[in-house]
Amino acid sequence: MKKKWKGCKEAASVLLSFTICCLAPTQALASSEGGPGMVDAERLQREEAKRRNPDYQAFKDQAEQSLPVVTFDVSQFVLPKEAGVLVVVEGTQGSACDVYVYEKTAEGWQQKIAAAGHLGMNGMSSNRRVGDKTTPIGVFKMNTPFGQALPQKGFPEDYVRVDSSYVWSDDTNKLEKDTDAAGEKVGTSQYLDYYDYVLDMGFNPEGIPDQGSALFLHCEGEFWMYSSGCVAVPREQMAEIMKLYGTWGEGRCFIALAPGGTFDSIYHTYGANGGLSPEL
């Protein structure tokens, strides 16, 4: 049974409108050489082309109907007492998802952001493996704020502006600099837009082989329909999530991911299975 979102539908519409607008600050992106790259005007042109895509608009129209309704109870998640931010990713259909961001207050968890996003092309899985292009199910602690774009006011003090010298290592599942390790070269032009702002979702923190690495919460890029396992949200919402991370600090921001209607199976699973998806 779905539970109605406590806010009004009009508020959801406002949030959705904010989701699809182009309000990015003027700044340069890092190029594959690590210096100033594509200017913001070029990125905005790509964003405008995406917005005019009929399929993208249809996706946003559908999201307007789903965002006012959630299938979870945020108060039921069992997290460490120091938790201050919780991102809830609710799979809706295929690679689509709704993303809700909550902040802890004296009155309990308060919703700060609601946005439509995308998952891995093969949906969600509690048995995630390298190359299967699924997004892991479970509850994890986010870490390692980084991005190709300049940090905004309120971003974490440990935010790393990456260039071509940085790699997200396949072996350690961590961000490394000046290394020959295999992995994603997160500061190169291949990841322009997508890696403007990034948080590691905290899946597989021990780097266990064949489980997968570089599973991030990051910006929506020019190719928006699905990812290889990450969760992508519009750039403006990703910037706001980064600021919340900056407010609360390392070790206090969490993410919960599950298909809609199945969250009761993961409410108590933070820390289960060594930081891999719980065995459901």
Side-chain angles (χ1 to χ4, degrees), residues 45 52 56 70 75 86 92-93 102-103 105-106 110 124 133 156 197 205-206 247 264:
Q45 288 178 355
R52 292 181 178 180
Y56 185 77
V70 300
S75 68
L86 176 62
T92 53
Q93 184 176 5
Y102 296 84
E103 183 176 22
T105 71
Q110 298 295 314
M124 309 182 87
K133 298 188 185 302
Y197 311 127
E206 301 303 319
T247 297
D264 57 345

PDB file of all heavy atoms in Angstrom, residues 45 52 56 70 75 86 92-93 102-103 105-106 110 124 133 156 197 205-206 247 264:
ATOM      1  N   GLN A  45      24.034  24.351 -23.470  1.00  0.00           N
ATOM      2  CA  GLN A  45      23.498  24.008 -24.785  1.00  0.00           C
ATOM      3  C   GLN A  45      23.112  22.527 -24.831  1.00  0.00           C
ATOM      4  O   GLN A  45      22.057  22.160 -25.364  1.00  0.00           O
ATOM      5  CB  GLN A  45      24.519  24.325 -25.871  1.00  0.00           C
ATOM      6  CG  GLN A  45      24.714  25.817 -26.130  1.00  0.00           C
ATOM      7  CD  GLN A  45      25.777  26.093 -27.170  1.00  0.00           C
ATOM      8  OE1 GLN A  45      26.460  25.178 -27.650  1.00  0.00           O
ATOM      9  NE2 GLN A  45      25.946  27.356 -27.518  1.00  0.00           N
ATOM     10  N   ARG A  52      14.634  19.434 -24.687  1.00  0.00           N
ATOM     11  CA  ARG A  52      13.723  19.471 -25.832  1.00  0.00           C
ATOM     12  C   ARG A  52      13.451  18.088 -26.410  1.00  0.00           C
ATOM     13  O   ARG A  52      12.583  17.940 -27.271  1.00  0.00           O
ATOM     14  CB  ARG A  52      14.308  20.374 -26.919  1.00  0.00           C
ATOM     15  CG  ARG A  52      14.340  21.848 -26.515  1.00  0.00           C
ATOM     16  CD  ARG A  52      14.904  22.711 -27.631  1.00  0.00           C
ATOM     17  NE  ARG A  52      14.895  24.125 -27.259  1.00  0.00           N
ATOM     18  CZ  ARG A  52      15.333  25.104 -28.036  1.00  0.00           C
ATOM     19  NH1 ARG A  52      15.835  24.821 -29.237  1.00  0.00           N
ATOM     20  NH2 ARG A  52      15.291  26.358 -27.628  1.00  0.00           N
ATOM     21  N   TYR A  56      12.598  12.705 -23.118  1.00  0.00           N
ATOM     22  CA  TYR A  56      12.979  13.255 -21.816  1.00  0.00           C
ATOM     23  C   TYR A  56      11.794  13.986 -21.185  1.00  0.00           C
ATOM     24  O   TYR A  56      11.537  13.854 -19.985  1.00  0.00           O
ATOM     25  CB  TYR A  56      14.169  14.195 -21.985  1.00  0.00           C
ATOM     26  CG  TYR A  56      14.721  14.732 -20.683  1.00  0.00           C
ATOM     27  CD1 TYR A  56      15.516  13.928 -19.873  1.00  0.00           C
ATOM     28  CD2 TYR A  56      14.453  16.030 -20.262  1.00  0.00           C
ATOM     29  CE1 TYR A  56      16.030  14.399 -18.679  1.00  0.00           C
ATOM     30  CE2 TYR A  56      14.966  16.513 -19.068  1.00  0.00           C
ATOM     31  CZ  TYR A  56      15.752  15.697 -18.283  1.00  0.00           C
ATOM     32  OH  TYR A  56      16.252  16.179 -17.101  1.00  0.00           O
ATOM     33  N   VAL A  70       5.135   8.082  -2.089  1.00  0.00           N
ATOM     34  CA  VAL A  70       6.272   7.222  -1.763  1.00  0.00           C
ATOM     35  C   VAL A  70       5.751   5.899  -1.216  1.00  0.00           C
ATOM     36  O   VAL A  70       4.614   5.800  -0.759  1.00  0.00           O
ATOM     37  CB  VAL A  70       7.221   7.883  -0.732  1.00  0.00           C
ATOM     38  CG1 VAL A  70       7.766   9.185  -1.258  1.00  0.00           C
ATOM     39  CG2 VAL A  70       6.515   8.114   0.601  1.00  0.00           C
ATOM     40  N   SER A  75      10.905   7.086   8.688  1.00  0.00           N
ATOM     41  CA  SER A  75      11.203   6.911  10.111  1.00  0.00           C
ATOM     42  C   SER A  75      11.574   5.483  10.465  1.00  0.00           C
ATOM     43  O   SER A  75      12.088   5.220  11.564  1.00  0.00           O
ATOM     44  CB  SER A  75      10.001   7.347  10.960  1.00  0.00           C
ATOM     45  OG  SER A  75       8.910   6.458  10.786  1.00  0.00           O
ATOM     46  N   LEU A  86      19.722  11.461   4.749  1.00  0.00           N
ATOM     47  CA  LEU A  86      19.365  10.178   4.151  1.00  0.00           C
ATOM     48  C   LEU A  86      18.806  10.426   2.755  1.00  0.00           C
ATOM     49  O   LEU A  86      17.815  11.141   2.592  1.00  0.00           O
ATOM     50  CB  LEU A  86      18.329   9.438   4.999  1.00  0.00           C
ATOM     51  CG  LEU A  86      17.810   8.114   4.414  1.00  0.00           C
ATOM     52  CD1 LEU A  86      18.949   7.112   4.255  1.00  0.00           C
ATOM     53  CD2 LEU A  86      16.695   7.539   5.277  1.00  0.00           C
ATOM     54  N   THR A  92      11.276   2.874  -9.771  1.00  0.00           N
ATOM     55  CA  THR A  92       9.880   2.967 -10.181  1.00  0.00           C
ATOM     56  C   THR A  92       9.545   2.011 -11.316  1.00  0.00           C
ATOM     57  O   THR A  92       8.581   1.280 -11.257  1.00  0.00           O
ATOM     58  CB  THR A  92       9.536   4.412 -10.584  1.00  0.00           C
ATOM     59  OG1 THR A  92      10.466   4.883 -11.565  1.00  0.00           O
ATOM     60  CG2 THR A  92       9.589   5.328  -9.365  1.00  0.00           C
ATOM     61  N   GLN A  93      10.357   1.986 -12.365  1.00  0.00           N
ATOM     62  CA  GLN A  93      10.138   1.058 -13.474  1.00  0.00           C
ATOM     63  C   GLN A  93      11.379   1.027 -14.335  1.00  0.00           C
ATOM     64  O   GLN A  93      11.882   2.071 -14.759  1.00  0.00           O
ATOM     65  CB  GLN A  93       8.931   1.478 -14.315  1.00  0.00           C
ATOM     66  CG  GLN A  93       8.593   0.498 -15.428  1.00  0.00           C
ATOM     67  CD  GLN A  93       7.340   0.913 -16.180  1.00  0.00           C
ATOM     68  OE1 GLN A  93       6.774   1.966 -15.938  1.00  0.00           O
ATOM     69  NE2 GLN A  93       6.903   0.065 -17.095  1.00  0.00           N
ATOM     70  N   TYR A 102      16.365  13.564   2.693  1.00  0.00           N
ATOM     71  CA  TYR A 102      15.863  13.960   4.006  1.00  0.00           C
ATOM     72  C   TYR A 102      17.008  14.449   4.883  1.00  0.00           C
ATOM     73  O   TYR A 102      18.131  13.944   4.819  1.00  0.00           O
ATOM     74  CB  TYR A 102      15.173  12.778   4.693  1.00  0.00           C
ATOM     75  CG  TYR A 102      13.939  12.291   3.970  1.00  0.00           C
ATOM     76  CD1 TYR A 102      14.051  11.388   2.917  1.00  0.00           C
ATOM     77  CD2 TYR A 102      12.676  12.744   4.331  1.00  0.00           C
ATOM     78  CE1 TYR A 102      12.927  10.944   2.233  1.00  0.00           C
ATOM     79  CE2 TYR A 102      11.546  12.303   3.665  1.00  0.00           C
ATOM     80  CZ  TYR A 102      11.672  11.405   2.610  1.00  0.00           C
ATOM     81  OH  TYR A 102      10.562  10.977   1.936  1.00  0.00           O
ATOM     82  N   GLU A 103      16.673  15.407   5.745  1.00  0.00           N
ATOM     83  CA  GLU A 103      17.617  15.905   6.735  1.00  0.00           C
ATOM     84  C   GLU A 103      17.007  15.731   8.118  1.00  0.00           C
ATOM     85  O   GLU A 103      15.810  15.983   8.319  1.00  0.00           O
ATOM     86  CB  GLU A 103      17.931  17.377   6.479  1.00  0.00           C
ATOM     87  CG  GLU A 103      18.975  17.957   7.424  1.00  0.00           C
ATOM     88  CD  GLU A 103      19.338  19.393   7.080  1.00  0.00           C
ATOM     89  OE1 GLU A 103      18.527  20.080   6.417  1.00  0.00           O
ATOM     90  OE2 GLU A 103      20.431  19.833   7.475  1.00  0.00           O
ATOM     91  N   THR A 105      16.029  16.634  11.776  1.00  0.00           N
ATOM     92  CA  THR A 105      15.741  17.832  12.568  1.00  0.00           C
ATOM     93  C   THR A 105      15.223  17.403  13.932  1.00  0.00           C
ATOM     94  O   THR A 105      15.052  16.208  14.197  1.00  0.00           O
ATOM     95  CB  THR A 105      14.684  18.713  11.877  1.00  0.00           C
ATOM     96  OG1 THR A 105      13.407  18.050  11.954  1.00  0.00           O
ATOM     97  CG2 THR A 105      15.042  18.984  10.421  1.00  0.00           C
ATOM     98  N   ALA A 106      14.955  18.379  14.788  1.00  0.00           N
ATOM     99  CA  ALA A 106      14.410  18.071  16.107  1.00  0.00           C
ATOM    100  C   ALA A 106      13.046  17.398  16.007  1.00  0.00           C
ATOM    101  O   ALA A 106      12.627  16.680  16.911  1.00  0.00           O
ATOM    102  CB  ALA A 106      14.310  19.353  16.928  1.00  0.00           C
ATOM    103  N   GLN A 110      13.033  15.438   7.771  1.00  0.00           N
ATOM    104  CA  GLN A 110      12.296  16.395   6.953  1.00  0.00           C
ATOM    105  C   GLN A 110      12.779  16.317   5.508  1.00  0.00           C
ATOM    106  O   GLN A 110      13.988  16.357   5.244  1.00  0.00           O
ATOM    107  CB  GLN A 110      12.486  17.820   7.472  1.00  0.00           C
ATOM    108  CG  GLN A 110      11.977  18.036   8.880  1.00  0.00           C
ATOM    109  CD  GLN A 110      10.466  17.858   8.981  1.00  0.00           C
ATOM    110  OE1 GLN A 110       9.714  18.381   8.150  1.00  0.00           O
ATOM    111  NE2 GLN A 110      10.017  17.123  10.000  1.00  0.00           N
ATOM    112  N   MET A 124      17.564  -2.833 -10.551  1.00  0.00           N
ATOM    113  CA  MET A 124      18.170  -2.963  -9.230  1.00  0.00           C
ATOM    114  C   MET A 124      18.376  -4.432  -8.876  1.00  0.00           C
ATOM    115  O   MET A 124      17.622  -5.297  -9.340  1.00  0.00           O
ATOM    116  CB  MET A 124      17.302  -2.274  -8.167  1.00  0.00           C
ATOM    117  CG  MET A 124      16.914  -0.850  -8.526  1.00  0.00           C
ATOM    118  SD  MET A 124      15.926  -0.008  -7.253  1.00  0.00           S
ATOM    119  CE  MET A 124      17.228   0.652  -6.218  1.00  0.00           C
ATOM    120  N   LYS A 133      25.421  -4.194 -14.840  1.00  0.00           N
ATOM    121  CA  LYS A 133      24.702  -2.938 -15.088  1.00  0.00           C
ATOM    122  C   LYS A 133      23.437  -2.811 -14.256  1.00  0.00           C
ATOM    123  O   LYS A 133      22.395  -2.326 -14.713  1.00  0.00           O
ATOM    124  CB  LYS A 133      24.393  -2.777 -16.577  1.00  0.00           C
ATOM    125  CG  LYS A 133      25.650  -2.697 -17.436  1.00  0.00           C
ATOM    126  CD  LYS A 133      25.347  -2.351 -18.869  1.00  0.00           C
ATOM    127  CE  LYS A 133      26.600  -2.385 -19.736  1.00  0.00           C
ATOM    128  NZ  LYS A 133      27.656  -1.480 -19.266  1.00  0.00           N
ATOM    129  N   PRO A 156      31.506  20.330   0.861  1.00  0.00           N
ATOM    130  CA  PRO A 156      32.389  19.771   1.899  1.00  0.00           C
ATOM    131  C   PRO A 156      33.808  20.316   1.797  1.00  0.00           C
ATOM    132  O   PRO A 156      34.316  20.557   0.700  1.00  0.00           O
ATOM    133  CB  PRO A 156      32.364  18.268   1.619  1.00  0.00           C
ATOM    134  CG  PRO A 156      31.125  18.038   0.817  1.00  0.00           C
ATOM    135  CD  PRO A 156      30.907  19.276   0.015  1.00  0.00           C
ATOM    136  N   TYR A 197      29.583  16.739 -10.094  1.00  0.00           N
ATOM    137  CA  TYR A 197      29.552  16.549  -8.636  1.00  0.00           C
ATOM    138  C   TYR A 197      29.237  15.080  -8.372  1.00  0.00           C
ATOM    139  O   TYR A 197      28.308  14.520  -8.957  1.00  0.00           O
ATOM    140  CB  TYR A 197      28.488  17.419  -7.976  1.00  0.00           C
ATOM    141  CG  TYR A 197      28.514  18.873  -8.382  1.00  0.00           C
ATOM    142  CD1 TYR A 197      27.361  19.494  -8.860  1.00  0.00           C
ATOM    143  CD2 TYR A 197      29.682  19.625  -8.279  1.00  0.00           C
ATOM    144  CE1 TYR A 197      27.374  20.828  -9.223  1.00  0.00           C
ATOM    145  CE2 TYR A 197      29.704  20.957  -8.653  1.00  0.00           C
ATOM    146  CZ  TYR A 197      28.545  21.554  -9.125  1.00  0.00           C
ATOM    147  OH  TYR A 197      28.559  22.881  -9.503  1.00  0.00           O
ATOM    148  N   PRO A 205      32.666  -1.360   0.289  1.00  0.00           N
ATOM    149  CA  PRO A 205      33.754  -0.516   0.794  1.00  0.00           C
ATOM    150  C   PRO A 205      35.089  -1.229   0.920  1.00  0.00           C
ATOM    151  O   PRO A 205      36.135  -0.582   0.931  1.00  0.00           O
ATOM    152  CB  PRO A 205      33.236  -0.070   2.167  1.00  0.00           C
ATOM    153  CG  PRO A 205      32.267  -1.127   2.575  1.00  0.00           C
ATOM    154  CD  PRO A 205      31.604  -1.555   1.298  1.00  0.00           C
ATOM    155  N   GLU A 206      35.082  -2.553   0.985  1.00  0.00           N
ATOM    156  CA  GLU A 206      36.320  -3.308   1.103  1.00  0.00           C
ATOM    157  C   GLU A 206      36.923  -3.673  -0.245  1.00  0.00           C
ATOM    158  O   GLU A 206      37.972  -4.325  -0.307  1.00  0.00           O
ATOM    159  CB  GLU A 206      36.080  -4.580   1.931  1.00  0.00           C
ATOM    160  CG  GLU A 206      35.558  -4.313   3.336  1.00  0.00           C
ATOM    161  CD  GLU A 206      36.496  -3.412   4.129  1.00  0.00           C
ATOM    162  OE1 GLU A 206      37.724  -3.603   4.028  1.00  0.00           O
ATOM    163  OE2 GLU A 206      35.991  -2.526   4.833  1.00  0.00           O
ATOM    164  N   THR A 247      27.277  20.203   5.116  1.00  0.00           N
ATOM    165  CA  THR A 247      26.742  20.662   6.401  1.00  0.00           C
ATOM    166  C   THR A 247      26.973  19.640   7.502  1.00  0.00           C
ATOM    167  O   THR A 247      27.378  19.985   8.625  1.00  0.00           O
ATOM    168  CB  THR A 247      25.237  20.950   6.271  1.00  0.00           C
ATOM    169  OG1 THR A 247      25.031  22.017   5.338  1.00  0.00           O
ATOM    170  CG2 THR A 247      24.627  21.333   7.624  1.00  0.00           C
ATOM    171  N   ASP A 264      10.417  -2.397   3.095  1.00  0.00           N
ATOM    172  CA  ASP A 264      10.340  -3.087   4.382  1.00  0.00           C
ATOM    173  C   ASP A 264      11.396  -4.165   4.525  1.00  0.00           C
ATOM    174  O   ASP A 264      11.750  -4.570   5.637  1.00  0.00           O
ATOM    175  CB  ASP A 264       8.942  -3.675   4.596  1.00  0.00           C
ATOM    176  CG  ASP A 264       8.513  -4.628   3.487  1.00  0.00           C
ATOM    177  OD1 ASP A 264       9.153  -4.619   2.408  1.00  0.00           O
ATOM    178  OD2 ASP A 264       7.551  -5.376   3.696  1.00  0.00           O
TER     179      ASP A 264
END
